[in-house]
Amino acid sequence: MYDTILVPVDETAETTRLTMHAIGLADMWGATLHTVGIVDGPTALNAEATDRGDRVSGARERARRASMRAAERAQRAGVDARTAVRRGVPHAEIVDEARRIEADLVLLGSPGRETTQGAVCVGQVTRRVVERADCAVLVEQSGEEPDRDSAAAESVADSALSVTREASTDERPLLVGPQ
């Protein structure tokens, strides 16, 4: 169904949960999982550090570490994984990376903010990726605030993987974007 799945990553517990879901999907479909850590150019340059090079270098190292950690989880689960680190505007870098690797699916998280009318709003990056991607985009909404404790994050990640593996291969997740 899907041969190439892209999941943007960072160092949050929410990313761990999302990555484990992506690993489960890649395992179920026999797909290659690509992880991409994004160094947000403007954010990296505004972070506190002694000089511009230190700020960018630190952000690049965090993105590299997050991408490698996600790929290692995939490989431990028997899923072929590749890593990348890109620097720039997050939504544009995600869309460009999806095109570069010819992704069939991009898996993104949503901040899941509720409006006063009860509707759920997706974040700006997610919305822009959905609008610009040439492939299917699965937006997974978080039901609660991410737990910062890594043990809890691993537990959530393990649950996501086991639930995904139980799904029938005939079932298709709700996707947005071109199909």
Side-chain angles (χ1 to χ4, degrees), residues 2 104 133-137 172-179:
Y2 297 106
D104 302 305
D134 297 330
C135 63
V137 176
R172 189 167 185 195
L174 177 62
L175 304 172
V176 291
Q179 296 178 31

Side-chain angles (χ1 to χ4, degrees), residues 94-114:
I94 293 166
V95 170
D96 287 348
E97 184 69 7
R99 288 179 181 142
R100 187 185 73 73
I101 65 170
E102 298 179 3
D104 302 305
L105 175 67
V106 176
L107 184 60
L108 297 170
S110 168
R113 295 174 286 128
E114 276 195 40

Side-chain angles (χ1 to χ4, degrees), residues 3-8 32-36 81-86 93-107 134-135:
D3 296 320
T4 307
I5 299 172
L6 176 65
V7 62
T32 299
L33 180 66
H34 289 256
T35 66
V36 61
R82 308 276 192 282
T83 65
V85 173
R86 308 259 320 223
E93 294 304 324
I94 293 166
V95 170
D96 287 348
E97 184 69 7
R99 288 179 181 142
R100 187 185 73 73
I101 65 170
E102 298 179 3
D104 302 305
L105 175 67
V106 176
L107 184 60
D134 297 330
C135 63

Side-chain angles (χ1 to χ4, degrees), residues 46-171:
N46 290 331
E48 290 186 32
T50 56
D51 65 45
R52 183 179 183 158
D54 287 347
R55 289 186 293 249
V56 172
S57 177
R60 181 173 293 129
E61 178 56 27
R62 286 187 300 279
R64 185 196 66 74
R65 196 170 44 236
S67 191
M68 291 298 296
R69 189 174 295 126
E72 288 167 1
R73 282 189 180 104
Q75 290 168 347
R76 282 195 307 267
V79 170
D80 186 26
R82 308 276 192 282
T83 65
V85 173
R86 308 259 320 223
R87 180 177 170 207
V89 179
H91 74 271
E93 294 304 324
I94 293 166
V95 170
D96 287 348
E97 184 69 7
R99 288 179 181 142
R100 187 185 73 73
I101 65 170
E102 298 179 3
D104 302 305
L105 175 67
V106 176
L107 184 60
L108 297 170
S110 168
R113 295 174 286 128
E114 276 195 40
T115 66
T116 55
Q117 294 83 19
V120 175
C121 299
V122 297
Q124 291 292 324
V125 172
T126 299
R127 182 180 59 79
R128 289 177 177 153
V129 171
V130 167
E131 291 172 351
R132 292 169 173 87
D134 297 330
C135 63
V137 176
L138 185 142
V139 178
E140 190 165 286
Q141 181 179 333
S142 172
E144 54 191 61
E145 287 294 314
D147 189 337
R148 302 280 181 227
D149 180 56
S150 61
E154 290 295 331
S155 173
V156 169
D158 291 341
S159 297
L161 182 57
S162 64
V163 168
T164 302
R165 285 189 172 162
E166 291 173 10
S168 164
T169 56
D170 293 334
E171 293 176 358

Side-chain angles (χ1 to χ4, degrees), residues 11-35:
E11 294 185 312
T12 63
E14 180 64 18
T15 289
T16 300
R17 185 187 65 77
L18 189 65
T19 299
M20 294 309 290
H21 187 185
I23 290 168
L25 293 173
D27 183 47
M28 182 170 56
W29 292 321
T32 299
L33 180 66
H34 289 256
T35 66

